[in-house]
Amino acid sequence: MRRKSPQEKKRLSYAKDRRERHGENDKSSRKNIPRHKRRVNRANRHREQQVLNGALGSVAVDSAAVAEERLLKTPPHRWRKWPGATLGTLVQGKLAMKSERTEFEAGTLSPLDDDELRGLLTSAVHLLSARKAALIHLMCHTGLRVSEVSALELRDVSAEAVTVRGRRRRTVPLPVELRPLLDSYLRVRAERPGAAENPAFFVTVFGCRVPPASVNGLVTTFAIMIGLPGVSARTLRKTYAVNLLRAGVDLDEAAELLGHASPEATRAYLAR
């Protein structure tokens, strides 16, 4: 019998492997099925015991009949093993969802015009706390990704620039008008519990690092509050990129400030 090639084994695995979740061991059903059956049986025994406990006491025909009727009225729960989807189906579904999300973002991600950006920044100063206002202003003036904003540390932010560490380390200059807002936030940050031991630049009221999901949620929620639905952190980043080119920055320098691998990547990013 001819031995199967690695490619053939992969195709067979995608067609036959039925696991409940992507990344789960395909042999896990050996333990999961008995455990699920035990869980259902335990629930049935608990329900029956609850009914019988209500009939405790002196023996009476009426109470015994009522307890028996309550037991027989509700059928016991039964667990059934449904065939799971193949691994190939799961992977195709995840790729399709990712493609749809990318197409949606590409079709709806449009930069803010000057009036919208000015209104966003002004409203942030008047309506938000010092931390949230500084966060939104920093994203608008530097074009940082949410993961980069979350990873910022105190040593990375100076009076003149922000240093973004990681695979593509870069330095993004800060405008002069942003410094008073950052100083105001730093005074508030110093009063947070545990902030002195935390190197993160943006911390929560509990002194913890602000996670990336909270950064994007802040931008999205605040934009809806001021009448700019559909605005996200990626919108601010694209607005920053467009304003760089409008200010006369060449494509090579714009790619470096945005952290792109090449000017072609920046050109493709702006074309979406």
Side-chain angles (χ1 to χ4, degrees), residues 166-185:
R167 190 158 56 97
R168 295 190 180 91
R169 178 168 176 166
R170 66 188 190 276
T171 301
V172 183
L174 290 178
V176 179
E177 60 269 18
L178 183 58
R179 193 63 216 180
L181 197 60
L182 295 179
D183 290 339
S184 176
Y185 160 66

Side-chain angles (χ1 to χ4, degrees), residues 96-116:
M97 291 175 58
K98 183 178 180 180
S99 177
E100 291 177 1
R101 184 169 62 251
T102 303
E103 292 177 359
F104 174 78
E105 291 178 348
T108 58
L109 185 62
S110 56
L112 301 176
D113 57 35
D114 294 340
D115 293 336
E116 291 174 337

Side-chain angles (χ1 to χ4, degrees), residues 138 144 149 152-165 172 174 178-179 182-183 185-186 200-202:
L138 184 70
L144 267 60
V149 173
L152 275 182
E153 297 186 353
L154 291 172
R155 59 175 179 167
D156 299 331
V157 182
S158 65
E160 295 80 20
V162 172
T163 301
V164 181
R165 306 178 188 273
V172 183
L174 290 178
L178 183 58
R179 193 63 216 180
L182 295 179
D183 290 339
Y185 160 66
L186 288 176
F201 187 80
F202 288 108

Side-chain angles (χ1 to χ4, degrees), residues 31-236:
K31 294 183 179 180
N32 288 339
I33 291 178
R35 186 174 71 245
H36 291 317
K37 289 182 178 179
R38 288 196 303 269
R39 186 179 301 160
V40 172
N41 293 333
R42 190 183 304 120
N44 288 331
R45 290 196 302 270
H46 176 74
R47 181 182 62 84
E48 294 171 357
Q49 189 63 42
Q50 291 294 101
V51 174
L52 294 175
N53 288 340
L56 291 177
S58 59
V59 179
V61 178
D62 294 337
S63 61
V66 171
E68 183 180 7
E69 183 180 358
R70 290 182 59 188
L71 280 176
L72 298 177
K73 182 172 62 176
T74 305
H77 298 287
R78 300 186 184 277
W79 183 81
R80 182 176 179 182
K81 175 69 174 75
W82 296 93
T86 62
L87 182 58
T89 303
L90 291 174
V91 172
Q92 288 179 0
K94 288 182 177 293
L95 292 177
M97 291 175 58
K98 183 178 180 180
S99 177
E100 291 177 1
R101 184 169 62 251
T102 303
E103 292 177 359
F104 174 78
E105 291 178 348
T108 58
L109 185 62
S110 56
L112 301 176
D113 57 35
D114 294 340
D115 293 336
E116 291 174 337
L117 181 60
R118 192 180 305 110
L120 177 73
L121 296 177
T122 303
S123 301
V125 174
H126 291 92
L127 300 178
L128 297 178
S129 63
R131 172 178 63 86
K132 295 178 180 180
L135 193 151
I136 289 180
H137 275 255
L138 184 70
M139 295 186 68
C140 291
H141 288 102
T142 60
L144 267 60
R145 304 176 178 91
V146 292
S147 58
E148 296 169 342
V149 173
S150 175
L152 275 182
E153 297 186 353
L154 291 172
R155 59 175 179 167
D156 299 331
V157 182
S158 65
E160 295 80 20
V162 172
T163 301
V164 181
R165 306 178 188 273
R167 190 158 56 97
R168 295 190 180 91
R169 178 168 176 166
R170 66 188 190 276
T171 301
V172 183
L174 290 178
V176 179
E177 60 269 18
L178 183 58
R179 193 63 216 180
L181 197 60
L182 295 179
D183 290 339
S184 176
Y185 160 66
L186 288 176
R187 288 192 294 269
V188 176
R189 181 191 183 280
E191 301 174 358
R192 300 279 170 84
E197 294 78 22
N198 194 336
F201 187 80
F202 288 108
V203 296
T204 65
V205 294
F206 304 105
C208 305
R209 183 184 296 271
V210 175
S214 298
V215 175
N216 192 60
L218 166 64
V219 177
T220 303
T221 305
F222 180 66
I224 293 175
M225 287 173 54
I226 63 174
L228 294 174
V231 173
S232 64
R234 296 184 71 245
T235 307
L236 304 185

